[in-house]
Amino acid sequence: MEDLNRVKPRVEKLRAEINRHNYLYYVLDSPEISDAEYDDLMRELKELEAKYPQFLTPDSPTQRVGAAPVAAFGVIEHPLPLLSLGNAFDKDELISWYNRTAKLLGKAQFDLVCEHKIDGLAVALTYVDRQLTTGATRGDGFRGEDVTQNLRTIRSIPLSVPREAPPRFEVRGEVFLPRAGFHKLNQERAAEGQPLFANPRNAAAGSVRQLDPRITAKRPLDIYIYALGYAEGKATPSSHWESMKYLKSLGFKVNPNNRHFGRIEQVEDYYHSWEKEKECLPYEADGIVVKVDSLEWQDSLGSVGHEPRWAIAYKFPAVQGTTRLVDIGISVGRTGTLNPYAILEPVAVGGVTIKQAALHNEDDIRRKDIRIGDTVIVQRAGEVIPEVVAPVKSKRSGKEKEFFLLEKIYDKDKKRPACPECRAEVFRPEGEVMYYCSNAACPTQVQQRLEHFTSRGAMDIRGIGESQSAMLLKEGLVKDIADLYYLKDKKDVLLKRERLAEKSVSNMLSAIEKSKDRPLDRLIFALGIRHVGDEMAEILAGEFHSLDKLADASREQLTSIPTVGPKIADSIIAFFRQEANRDIIKRLKAAGVRLEEKAVRPKEQSLAGMEFVITGRLEGFSRAEAEARVKALGGTTGSSVSQKTTYLVVGADPGSKLARARELGTKQLTEAEFLHLLETAK
Ligand code: IVH
């Protein structure tokens, strides 16, 4: 056992380091270390905390994930209502808001702050004694939902604030899903046949309002703080602009694109420049928010109903265009899904030429009544890949054709529908919206599986991307993902490949070597099991701790996990039943890929129902630490011996509690026995 006196400072140092890197990465967007170095710090801290739960604190960076799911959210009353905003759709409406406000204030001119109106979800965060205590949704403005556990998973929300912060205060902000995250989430949902999120706002709300915080933790949510709600016990700035600077100094993430202006013409310029540039932003903004800067004047202006008089949303026009749907193509995904996509007559939408757009699945096409030859509305709203919104039915000539996937992929020679890539049979599992190619060796699927396996969120093998995967397959150097780990035996062949220099080969091989030690959830995700995304992979890793155990899990075992339904369970079982997959796993193991979780987690509730009372001085830890350790394992502690007491822990120079325990016949533990109990409870 390490020296306890050395563990504590190490834990504290790691925590401070990780918090600093979180801040640099998530708040300032300027990381100083690589993801791998960060993962190493995090792993060391997690291991120490698992081993020494007495040093675990609720504001530890490890505590952003893992809270248990809840049946329903509690209700939080907002001490100050959360308002919404009135809208201006053009310059005239903006100017009339400005004139109205000027008149009410009795000023010809006043300072304004302009911010992006981010398409997300409003939340209120309360900090008491430097700690984040509650996080709530807006709800009806007066009462919101208690989503504290979920908001804690957002890395740009500080769990604690510096000493200078007021003893009690509330900040407000917009939680959002950046474009890339929104897009990825919808792609996954489309592949799983789940309904798609219509916009980033719904996606953010859907992610925050998850009953299982582990799912929220997997979504790349972010936040910009846009107001100081209230503050008690300390003076705070008197203008909105200054209070944003103040909140920034406390570690909150404030949008760097906010601006402070003295004239309404500058607001106009701000609006127009962002209307042009908004597609370059990593998040979706549907307009700007214009706010009166002076907080005193905000107060005196007040609100009408839910809408403050001191602010207005000046909305951007939507980025849509119309064009002709020339045809519907089919691409093959890595799990074999046959994905329909729109082939369009090229059209410029918001400055970008669009030729293709997502169509998700056949049911969706039918529901929207989209036909080949239709004039369609296409939209780029927070989507990297544009989307077909709806047909313009009034423009129909009568010649438009309905789309039938099976007809589209009908193979005349084989006299049946066939995979457009490998011509194998296709099937549609009961209750699912997608059709699949039945051939696990379909070259397009294999290539996509290889790309997925090596991708960043999976095994993160740098140096093997699209072109390298294609080359390795084409040259017959790999036939499946396990072959990657045997490439080192083929170094000579690799070196002979044109354009592959010694350096890039050794980089590739060392990246492959490094990936052997990835966490189990990454490996499970990387295998590309149908319906098992990164979120599900983490849940499965947390339940089984080993790939072999997962592979042997029964349907009952799988479906007893709250978030695993029969569809997912069947897909996992089918995956591990396939001989080819079993063989891949065997070869991964033989190559030394880690198939188990590294840190052994304590069985958290193993002291549940036991009450411990401590008397006398303990050598190994302070009273508080001993109590924390009992609590971390689900036990309780008491200050006096009673019938309820399970054990009395007896240290040096025990007090009267020992006599009482003897009277009641309470079991006694020496410090060594106590320690042994804690250790073996893991
Ligand atoms: S201020 C009056 N600032 O827009 C105070 N809101 O339609 C209202 N929003 O519920 C909030 N970005 O969710 C403010 N920079 C920003 C915002 C913003 C997005 C949202 C917020 C609010 C909704 C009002």
Side-chain angles (χ1 to χ4, degrees):
M1 193 170 121
E2 279 118 325
D3 181 358
L4 278 179
N5 294 330
R6 278 217 293 271
V7 174
K8 197 167 176 219
R10 180 68 191 149
V11 165
E12 280 164 2
K13 176 136 192 282
L14 281 168
R15 222 170 258 164
E17 271 286 282
I18 293 169
N19 277 336
R20 194 173 75 85
H21 291 302
N22 269 345
Y23 177 73
L24 287 168
Y25 185 95
Y26 293 105
V27 179
L28 300 185
D29 287 325
S30 61
E32 280 177 6
I33 56 172
S34 70
D35 289 4
E37 285 168 305
Y38 177 87
D39 289 346
D40 284 346
L41 293 174
M42 204 59 169
R43 187 174 315 138
E44 187 186 347
L45 179 59
K46 271 190 197 155
E47 281 170 7
L48 284 175
E49 286 177 344
K51 211 160 159 200
Y52 306 100
Q54 67 265 42
F55 298 137
L56 191 59
T57 59
D59 66 347
S60 169
T62 59
Q63 297 306 295
R64 287 188 182 270
V65 287
V70 292
F73 295 117
V75 172
I76 288 185
E77 301 249 355
H78 300 302
L80 271 183
L82 265 73
L83 300 172
S84 77
L85 287 168
N87 291 318
F89 291 99
D90 56 34
K91 186 175 171 181
D92 288 350
E93 289 180 356
L94 176 76
I95 300 295
S96 65
W97 168 79
Y98 182 79
N99 291 340
R100 234 175 15 246
T101 312
K103 203 165 155 199
L104 284 166
L105 290 173
K107 310 265 174 204
Q109 249 185 16
F110 48 91
D111 281 5
L112 294 160
V113 173
C114 287
E115 299 171 357
H116 291 162
K117 183 170 190 298
I118 297 176
D119 199 16
L121 166 84
V123 296
L125 308 170
T126 307
Y127 290 78
V128 180
D129 295 333
R130 300 180 53 211
Q131 305 287 323
L132 171 66
T133 53
T134 52
T137 62
R138 174 170 177 264
D140 63 4
F142 301 102
R143 306 164 89 225
E145 283 168 320
D146 182 349
V147 288
T148 314
Q149 290 307 334
N150 294 357
L151 295 179
R152 285 174 65 91
T153 68
I154 301 175
R155 307 295 203 279
S156 44
I157 294 181
L159 297 179
S160 56
V161 285
R163 252 176 284 281
E164 307 80 75
R168 184 183 193 97
F169 67 101
E170 181 208 74
V171 295
R172 289 152 179 210
E174 194 81 352
V175 170
F176 62 95
L177 207 55
R179 278 171 204 276
F182 170 66
H183 174 62
K184 182 171 156 263
L185 187 59
N186 259 356
Q187 266 185 333
E188 283 169 10
R189 292 175 74 89
E192 289 175 9
Q194 293 183 47
L196 303 184
F197 288 119
N199 50 48
R201 205 208 83 77
N202 289 357
S207 304
V208 168
R209 299 180 66 256
Q210 278 287 340
L211 293 170
D212 187 345
R214 288 173 301 187
I215 294 185
T216 312
K218 276 288 179 182
R219 308 254 164 104
L221 292 163
D222 204 343
I223 193 168
Y224 276 126
I225 297 299
Y226 58 59
L228 174 60
Y230 64 86
E232 289 170 8
K234 210 155 220 176
T236 49
S238 61
S239 73
H240 177 64
W241 183 248
E242 289 301 323
S243 57
M244 288 301 100
K245 279 206 226 162
Y246 174 66
L247 290 179
K248 214 171 136 194
S249 78
L250 294 181
F252 290 98
K253 187 161 178 171
V254 176
N255 195 330
N257 297 315
N258 295 352
R259 291 290 177 274
H260 182 214
F261 296 129
R263 290 179 301 111
I264 191 72
E265 293 77 20
Q266 294 171 299
V267 173
E268 272 290 300
D269 293 344
Y270 180 87
Y271 173 87
H272 287 298
S273 71
W274 282 112
E275 188 198 335
K276 282 198 208 88
E277 297 291 319
K278 69 176 196 301
E279 298 303 321
C280 307
L281 291 169
Y283 51 79
E284 171 88 351
D286 56 356
I288 65 167
V289 184
V290 188
K291 300 175 179 177
V292 171
D293 188 31
S294 157
L295 296 178
E296 193 190 326
W297 293 357
Q298 286 190 3
D299 267 352
S300 69
L301 286 163
S303 52
V304 202
H306 268 312
E307 295 175 7
R309 287 199 191 86
W310 50 266
I312 194 159
Y314 187 7
K315 300 294 263 305
F316 294 135
V319 252
Q320 288 192 338
T322 55
T323 187
R324 215 174 72 87
L325 175 66
V326 179
D327 201 357
I328 294 179
I330 309 286
S331 65
V332 181
R334 79 180 143 80
T335 59
T337 49
L338 304 180
N339 310 314
Y341 64 94
I343 301 167
L344 303 166
E345 221 156 70
V347 59
V349 179
V352 177
T353 304
I354 296 179
K355 293 183 204 138
Q356 288 187 356
L359 279 171
H360 311 306
N361 59 59
E362 194 175 14
D363 285 7
D364 202 48
I365 297 170
R366 196 83 63 236
R367 201 164 33 234
K368 291 178 180 161
D369 190 18
I370 295 168
R371 302 182 191 179
I372 298 167
D374 261 337
T375 300
V376 290
I377 300 171
V378 287
Q379 177 170 290
R380 291 181 51 229
E383 294 250 348
V384 181
I385 293 186
E387 195 184 20
V388 176
V389 183
V392 187
K393 291 189 189 167
S394 60
K395 294 224 171 143
R396 278 189 180 154
S397 67
K399 285 195 188 135
E400 294 75 16
K401 278 202 253 76
E402 253 194 274
F403 168 76
F404 294 98
L405 190 135
L406 292 181
E407 214 170 81
K408 175 83 197 171
I409 58 171
Y410 191 80
D411 188 316
K412 286 199 190 87
D413 300 338
K414 296 199 183 287
K415 300 206 170 47
R416 58 161 170 77
C419 167
E421 299 288 346
C422 74
R423 304 177 74 195
E425 277 187 62
V426 304
F427 67 101
R428 178 173 175 165
E430 220 184 285
E432 289 198 23
V433 289
M434 302 305 275
Y435 281 92
Y436 292 88
C437 161
S438 61
N439 173 18
C442 170
T444 314
Q445 273 189 62
V446 176
Q447 161 142 6
Q448 300 218 26
R449 276 203 296 271
L450 200 59
E451 278 171 36
H452 169 72
F453 186 81
T454 56
S455 68
R456 248 191 118 170
M459 296 301 264
D460 194 9
I461 305 179
R462 306 277 163 96
I464 303 191
E466 202 177 323
S467 60
Q468 291 83 354
S469 299
M471 182 276 288
L472 292 172
L473 286 166
K474 195 169 134 256
E475 301 288 342
L477 287 163
V478 302
K479 294 204 174 57
D480 59 36
I481 51 179
D483 287 341
L484 286 174
Y485 295 95
Y486 296 89
L487 267 179
K488 58 175 188 289
D489 306 332
K490 300 183 184 159
K491 196 165 174 183
D492 296 347
V493 193
L494 267 174
L495 278 172
K496 278 196 210 119
R497 290 296 145 244
E498 270 175 273
R499 289 186 296 140
L500 270 191
E502 169 88 45
K503 180 124 175 62
S504 64
V505 170
S506 58
N507 281 350
M508 186 195 275
L509 293 177
S510 82
I512 292 171
E513 268 319 283
K514 264 201 209 143
S515 74
K516 287 182 177 174
D517 200 34
R518 295 276 180 264
L520 179 62
D521 64 307
R522 296 266 208 124
L523 175 65
I524 295 175
F525 174 56
L527 290 175
I529 306 170
R530 205 172 282 167
H531 305 309
V532 178
D534 51 356
E535 292 169 1
M536 185 46 60
E538 186 164 315
I539 291 168
L540 293 171
E543 290 288 334
F544 292 97
H545 310 295
S546 110
L547 194 66
D548 289 333
K549 287 204 183 107
L550 174 64
D552 292 337
S554 68
R555 194 169 192 267
E556 290 66 42
Q557 252 177 306
L558 287 163
T559 49
S560 72
I561 304 166
T563 31
V564 179
K567 195 170 85 180
I568 299 175
D570 289 344
S571 159
I572 295 169
I573 290 171
F575 181 90
F576 289 108
R577 214 174 262 162
Q578 276 191 37
E579 198 46 47
N581 292 334
R582 289 225 162 235
D583 182 57
I584 286 175
I585 290 158
K586 222 190 287 163
R587 282 182 294 128
L588 287 176
K589 193 189 234 169
V593 176
R594 181 153 66 82
L595 308 186
E596 242 120 62
E597 213 156 27
K598 226 184 203 173
V600 201
R601 300 184 185 181
K603 284 201 210 83
E604 260 146 38
Q605 298 306 315
S606 53
L607 297 187
M610 300 186 192
E611 187 194 90
F612 289 72
V613 174
I614 301 167
T615 183
R617 211 170 359 90
L618 301 180
E619 300 291 318
F621 21 47
S622 73
R623 188 68 67 89
E625 283 164 359
E627 291 185 353
R629 252 183 108 165
V630 168
K631 284 186 190 139
L633 293 165
T636 57
T637 54
S639 52
S640 62
V641 177
S642 72
Q643 297 287 1
K644 282 193 305 182
T645 310
T646 319
Y647 292 111
L648 177 72
V649 182
V650 187
D653 305 319
S656 60
K657 288 176 202 163
L658 182 57
R660 178 81 181 131
R662 286 192 179 129
E663 240 172 77
L664 291 174
T666 310
K667 279 186 225 139
Q668 295 161 29
L669 296 175
T670 64
E671 181 173 345
E673 286 167 335
F674 176 53
L675 192 62
H676 180 72
L677 188 75
L678 292 178
E679 296 283 353
T680 50
K682 277 186 203 164

